[in-house]
Amino acid sequence: MQIITAPMAGITDYSFRKILYEFSPDIIFTEMVDVNALKYSNQRTQDEILRKAGNEAVQIFGNKNEDFLEAVKLLIERGFDHIDINLGCPVKKIIRAGKGSALLLESDFVKELLLKLKKEFRNDIKLSMKIRTGYKNFSDPEYYVKLAEEYGLFQICIHGRTQEQLYSGQADWNIIKKMKQKHKNVKIIGNGDLTDLKTIKEKTDSAKPDGIMLARGLLGNPWLLKEAKDYFKTGVFHESEVGREEIKNTLIKHINYCIEDKGEIRANLDMRKHIFWYLKEFENIEKIKNDIIKTKTIKDVLKYIVNNV
Ligand SMILES: Cc1cc2nc3c(=O)[nH]c(=O)nc-3n(C[C@H](O)[C@H](O)[C@H](O)COP(=O)(O)O)c2cc1C
């Protein structure tokens, strides 16, 4: 079973990926990258967006063939060898621009894009897609699974929700199961609601995907990767308790990576959500929250965590 960490915009930046690497998943994804932004950004912005913590797979989104092609060329030059096309982002601003899950409605466009990418970069990259199960009058994920087969894609990840569901409601794992049963030759990655080991076991026992992609379950809990890895390696179901010190030390490390990557001012903005995710199970979380909210700088936050958490 392949264990993959999901692309999450605003979350899976360099610092979080550094943390994720410590748990050795099979694939770690970047945040999604706008092919247009790559084209027009300067070297410094590109360096920041594409800073590697290891051999990440990069996910791209866009709406023009030529932009995708240019972006892939640049990404190969930057040393990426696994490139994923985003056909799942449900955010209004993105779909209004005809990108992300809006492309699910543009099956001919996607087909042509795959054809061009395969023709141009045949052996240079692992190419994959990430889709949702539906959007407006599109409700045929099998179309894309067949495309994945036809074009020999490295994998296709199915997030078992429609665009309209955004991130609520349940992911439909029956669709993932059906796709795997019907398309044995395509590497199918299941995604949605895998937030604890019990659910991971239940969904994979039934759907039997080739891999799983973990997303929100990793927020403040990268240890879920270890639980999942151990489970698939040994077959033994064991939910591990993570000690307070380990959580605290991982959080401190994460904050320091973020400062190293983005500087103190941006780390101060970006890290606060992570802090509360890491500490959510602490019995005195309300007091911790109230105290941290009052801190001004990320160095104050660090000092508080080191001395008081
Ligand atoms: C904050 C956030 C950002 C996300 N960004 C991306 C993204 O950049 N690309 C993508 O394909 N999916 C993105 N997703 C979707 C996740 O990769 C995943 O498909 C989704 O959260 C379902 O899995 P889950 O129920 O286990 O969280 C994002 C999800 C969240 C919560």
Side-chain angles (χ1 to χ4, degrees):
M1 182 72 62
Q2 290 268 302
I3 300 180
I4 299 171
T5 68
M8 282 186 277
I11 311 275
T12 48
D13 61 1
Y14 169 84
S15 61
F16 192 35
R17 298 197 305 267
K18 287 265 280 190
I19 295 292
L20 295 173
Y21 269 113
E22 294 182 14
F23 297 88
S24 310
D26 295 293
I27 301 172
I28 291 181
F29 269 97
T30 61
E31 307 169 79
M32 63 179 191
V33 175
D34 184 344
V35 290
N36 230 26
L38 273 189
K39 188 169 163 178
Y40 294 111
S41 60
N42 58 27
Q43 187 77 18
R44 212 172 123 238
T45 312
Q46 283 184 9
D47 286 350
E48 186 188 309
I49 301 174
L50 302 176
R51 185 170 185 192
K52 288 175 121 194
N55 188 28
E56 288 95 328
V58 58
Q59 189 193 56
I60 52 178
F61 72 101
N63 63 1
K64 288 201 185 74
N65 275 333
E66 58 273 23
D67 291 347
F68 274 107
L69 284 156
E70 268 182 55
V72 171
K73 191 160 168 280
L74 187 143
L75 291 166
I76 293 172
E77 282 163 14
R78 291 256 175 178
F80 288 94
D81 66 0
H82 179 173
I83 295 170
D84 186 84
I85 312 285
N86 179 315
L87 301 179
C89 181
V91 174
K92 263 206 184 111
K93 199 175 90 185
I94 304 286
I95 52 178
R96 271 204 209 112
K99 303 173 181 176
S101 58
L103 286 183
L104 291 171
L105 300 171
E106 306 295 332
S107 48
D108 289 343
F109 170 85
V110 177
K111 192 174 168 144
E112 195 188 318
L113 174 63
L114 294 180
L115 182 71
K116 288 195 163 149
L117 288 171
K118 272 287 166 183
K119 198 165 154 225
E120 186 79 22
F121 305 106
R122 185 163 294 274
N123 297 316
D124 300 344
I125 47 167
K126 291 178 255 181
L127 189 61
S128 63
M129 293 191 285
K130 180 164 179 276
I131 64 167
R132 283 189 176 238
T133 52
Y135 174 43
K136 288 190 175 164
N137 58 351
F138 163 80
S139 59
D140 182 20
E142 189 169 13
Y143 175 85
Y144 289 100
V145 176
K146 284 182 180 159
L147 276 191
E149 185 156 25
E150 186 180 339
Y151 289 99
L153 296 197
F154 179 69
Q155 67 185 35
I156 178 165
C157 175
I158 305 174
H159 174 191
R161 287 189 176 83
T162 63
Q163 182 278 334
E164 286 81 2
Q165 279 181 282
L166 301 174
Y167 294 101
S168 58
Q170 285 193 339
D172 184 348
W173 274 79
N174 283 325
I175 295 180
I176 298 166
K177 178 178 182 172
K178 210 161 95 193
M179 290 303 110
K180 187 63 245 181
Q181 281 172 346
K182 284 181 80 173
H183 299 278
K184 300 260 185 287
N185 295 330
V186 185
K187 200 199 252 185
I188 292 185
I189 310 300
N191 167 244
D193 297 335
L194 301 178
T195 50
D196 56 73
L197 190 59
K198 187 165 164 282
T199 313
I200 290 173
K201 179 179 177 343
E202 267 169 30
K203 301 298 186 198
T204 54
D205 277 355
S206 164
K208 303 202 171 10
D210 300 285
I212 51 171
M213 182 180 276
L214 306 182
R216 285 172 295 177
L218 296 171
L219 304 180
N221 186 21
W223 295 274
L224 182 61
L225 285 170
K226 182 174 161 26
E227 282 185 338
K229 262 186 92 157
D230 289 349
Y231 168 66
F232 289 116
K233 198 166 148 202
T234 63
V236 178
F237 183 90
H238 176 69
E239 285 173 308
S240 53
E241 282 269 313
V242 186
R244 223 180 139 102
E245 277 306 299
E246 192 175 348
I247 295 175
K248 180 175 154 176
N249 290 336
T250 304
L251 169 58
I252 291 170
K253 211 173 347 176
H254 192 162
I255 295 174
N256 280 321
Y257 287 148
C258 195
I259 294 173
E260 172 204 324
D261 184 37
K262 297 182 176 170
E264 288 185 22
I265 292 171
R266 285 182 51 210
N268 195 26
L269 295 171
D270 286 2
M271 279 309 298
R272 288 184 179 248
K273 55 186 184 288
H274 287 283
I275 293 169
F276 300 129
W277 288 328
Y278 276 103
L279 303 179
K280 62 180 182 286
E281 302 290 338
F282 283 32
E283 75 282 356
N284 54 341
I285 181 64
E286 284 312 315
K287 175 167 172 21
I288 294 174
K289 254 189 192 165
N290 286 333
D291 291 345
I292 289 184
I293 283 167
K294 289 182 205 136
T295 55
K296 289 219 160 53
T297 68
I298 194 71
K299 282 280 153 83
D300 294 340
V301 176
L302 266 177
K303 208 187 297 168
Y304 176 85
I305 293 170
V306 170
N307 295 322
N308 301 285
V309 169

